[in-house]
Amino acid sequence: MRKLLGAVAVAALLAGPVLAQEGVAQETKEGTESPEGGALGAGPDVHESESRGIVNWWSWDYDTNGHHAKDPAHKGWPAPFGFALINFAIFLGIMSRLAWKPLKQYMGDRHDEIAKNLDEAAKLRAAAEATLAQYQEKIAGIDREIETLLAQIRKEAETDKARIMAAAEADAKRLKADAERQIAAEIEAARRELRRGVIEAAVAAAEASLKKNIAADDQRKMAEKYVHDVELRAKAGRPS
Amino acid sequence: MITGSIARRYAKALLEIGIQQQTYDALGKELDRAADTLRSSPELRNALENPVFSLEKRKLIMDELARRLALSKTVRNFIMLLLDKGRIAALPDIARAHRTLVDEHAGRVRATVISARPLDPMLETRLKTALEKSSGKVVIFEKREDPTILGGLITQLGDTLYDGSVRTQLQELREELLSE
């Protein structure tokens, strides 16, 4: 690439006189009539040049672009066109020598890169089309999938519901059984407490009644019975 | 505090002296009198047991008490020995143990009879006879009245209890009803 740029620069330098020659030729054609022949024997050529518009093939005595011709006849002549052609030929040679291969290489690389990019683009396109087809297929089957999922979710929900209901029922039964046991225990405890209270009250009432109502005769009868029992045990040979 | 075995040892020593002198019953009664006096008088108990008073002073007090209670020389010397050994506080326990040993030696047994009201003499005789028959020993009655037993009798004969009180019957009835 660097070589290519260098070649372009050299070509520009060499092409300057050619462009100048063309400019001067136009000026001469539009202004004064062109004089005859150049300094290097360009008589018939000059006429031919006049007829074709080229007045200076080989003379370095020209008068343009700040260069003043020594020969007054050359006043208004442009730079020599023949050298410009040689110059151009050299330019083409240099260009072909220096710039052809890099340019060819560059163009080849560029071609390969573009071809590669095109291949990649084609691949990407193919992948995108495949993905698109895949998605289109999925979209086409999404309703069926949604239905399947909904059915599965409904089934799982029913299973969960049945399980939760069974667990809740078991818990309720257990709680009920616990509550019944607790109630029964509390009723039993209350019953026992009530019974104890009644018995204590009855015994206290009996004791109070006995204290009040046991007469001397009752005491004597009880003592009599006691002594009789001791006598019986003495006969039997055993203590109370 | 004196243990039962020590009290029994002192009592046994005095009983042996009494057996030798053939005066164990009399010695026992004297010992009971001295123990009752000591039990019923906290001031006397304090004077005899308190080490603040010298042993001589305590012996003087005990000597005076023996004179007033008309204690024999044997019992007097025995109590002085208790003072010397610092065992005077055990005198009631020793008297009780001596009484038991004397009863055992004499073939007697003591029966404590508790009644709500005074016991009819005829029933008392019948009870005594029955108890003597069951124990095989002469029974000495110690009667006590306790109205809280409501009615009936309670007899403690050695380790055996004859409980025919109304209070106990009521208690048994209460326990039976509660256990149902």
Side-chain angles (χ1 to χ4, degrees):
Chain A
M1 193 66 191
R2 194 176 292 169
K3 281 183 176 181
L4 179 64
L5 290 174
V8 170
V10 170
L13 283 173
L14 293 173
V18 177
L19 293 174
Q21 178 78 27
E22 287 178 350
V24 170
Q26 285 178 356
E27 285 175 9
T28 306
K29 195 176 180 181
E30 291 171 358
T32 60
E33 289 290 326
S34 298
E36 287 186 1
L40 295 176
D45 294 338
V46 169
H47 292 290
E48 287 181 16
S49 298
E50 280 179 347
S51 64
R52 294 196 301 266
I54 297 171
V55 293
N56 185 13
W57 280 96
W58 308 107
S59 177
W60 289 102
D61 187 21
Y62 60 91
D63 184 27
T64 186
N65 292 342
H67 192 276
H68 299 287
K70 292 173 184 176
D71 188 350
H74 292 179
K75 187 171 178 65
W77 278 23
F81 187 70
F83 288 111
L85 287 175
I86 294 167
N87 206 2
F88 184 68
I90 294 168
F91 165 71
L92 284 178
I94 292 170
M95 283 300 290
S96 66
R97 181 81 177 174
L98 297 177
W100 180 249
K101 282 187 179 176
L103 186 62
K104 188 179 178 184
Q105 180 69 34
Y106 170 75
M107 292 306 289
D109 292 345
R110 183 66 182 156
H111 174 271
D112 293 343
E113 188 179 346
I114 289 169
K116 185 179 172 186
N117 287 339
L118 285 172
D119 286 345
E120 286 181 2
K123 286 178 184 172
L124 288 173
R125 181 183 173 82
E129 283 176 350
T131 307
L132 178 63
Q134 193 177 349
Y135 277 107
Q136 281 174 343
E137 188 181 352
K138 278 187 179 179
I139 288 167
I142 198 79
D143 289 340
R144 191 171 62 252
E145 195 171 345
I146 287 169
E147 277 302 318
T148 307
L149 283 173
L150 283 175
Q152 189 177 348
I153 288 167
R154 283 194 198 99
K155 190 178 176 184
E156 287 176 358
E158 286 297 324
T159 307
D160 285 347
K161 182 183 171 186
R163 183 177 53 76
I164 290 167
M165 287 297 289
E169 195 174 346
D171 284 348
K173 281 182 181 175
R174 185 174 51 76
L175 287 172
K176 187 182 173 190
D178 288 347
E180 284 175 352
R181 273 198 298 274
Q182 191 172 355
I183 288 167
E186 286 179 2
I187 288 172
E188 179 61 21
R191 194 180 67 79
R192 283 182 183 173
E193 191 59 33
L194 182 63
R195 180 180 171 81
R196 170 180 286 274
V198 169
I199 290 169
E200 297 283 2
V203 171
E207 187 174 341
S209 175
L210 287 169
K211 275 182 186 172
K212 188 177 177 182
N213 297 322
I214 289 182
D217 188 50
D218 298 324
Q219 291 284 2
R220 193 188 59 75
K221 285 178 181 173
M222 283 189 281
E224 171 75 30
K225 184 176 182 305
Y226 177 86
V227 171
H228 182 66
D229 288 346
V230 173
E231 285 172 341
L232 288 177
R233 289 193 185 100
K235 282 181 184 173
R238 58 184 173 84
S240 177
Chain B
M1 199 65 188
I2 191 169
T3 62
S5 64
I6 294 174
R8 192 174 172 83
R9 221 158 53 207
Y10 277 98
K12 197 172 180 182
L14 184 63
L15 176 66
E16 286 172 0
I17 294 170
I19 291 170
Q20 286 173 5
Q21 296 175 354
Q22 296 291 321
T23 57
Y24 51 83
D25 267 331
L27 292 180
K29 285 175 184 170
E30 288 178 25
L31 201 62
D32 285 342
R33 277 209 306 279
D36 289 342
T37 306
L38 194 64
R39 195 184 296 116
S40 61
S41 172
E43 293 85 1
L44 176 62
R45 202 163 56 238
N46 182 53
L48 292 176
E49 293 175 7
N50 198 336
V52 170
F53 301 106
S54 67
L55 183 61
E56 286 74 22
K57 280 186 180 177
R58 282 185 277 166
K59 282 188 173 180
L60 283 175
I61 294 169
M62 193 65 238
D63 206 31
E64 177 60 23
L65 180 66
R67 192 183 60 78
R68 288 190 184 183
L69 292 175
L71 300 181
S72 65
K73 191 179 176 183
T74 304
V75 173
R76 178 184 163 281
N77 289 342
F78 180 76
I79 292 174
M80 291 300 180
L81 176 69
L82 293 178
L83 277 173
D84 284 338
K85 298 289 185 184
R87 302 287 194 188
I88 191 65
L91 182 59
D93 292 333
I94 293 169
R96 197 177 305 116
H98 183 266
R99 193 161 55 238
T100 304
L101 289 174
V102 167
D103 289 343
E104 284 176 3
H105 179 74
R108 296 188 303 238
V109 64
R110 290 180 188 271
T112 304
V113 179
I114 302 170
S115 59
R117 291 187 180 180
L119 190 58
D120 182 81
M122 192 180 70
L123 286 176
E124 183 180 329
T125 305
R126 281 175 57 194
L127 180 61
K128 186 171 181 291
T129 305
L131 293 174
E132 284 177 343
K133 188 175 181 182
S134 67
S135 66
K137 293 179 181 177
V138 176
V139 172
I140 299 172
F141 261 16
E142 292 179 355
K143 292 181 287 182
R144 191 152 56 86
E145 287 181 26
D146 182 0
T148 63
I149 70 168
L150 301 176
L153 295 171
I154 300 172
T155 304
Q156 176 80 50
L157 180 67
D159 295 333
T160 307
L161 181 70
Y162 298 85
D163 192 341
S165 68
V166 174
R167 182 182 66 191
T168 301
Q169 289 174 29
L170 271 177
Q171 195 65 27
E172 285 173 355
L173 176 66
R174 174 181 169 277
E175 296 297 330
E176 188 180 337
L177 290 171
L178 286 175
S179 66
E180 282 179 357

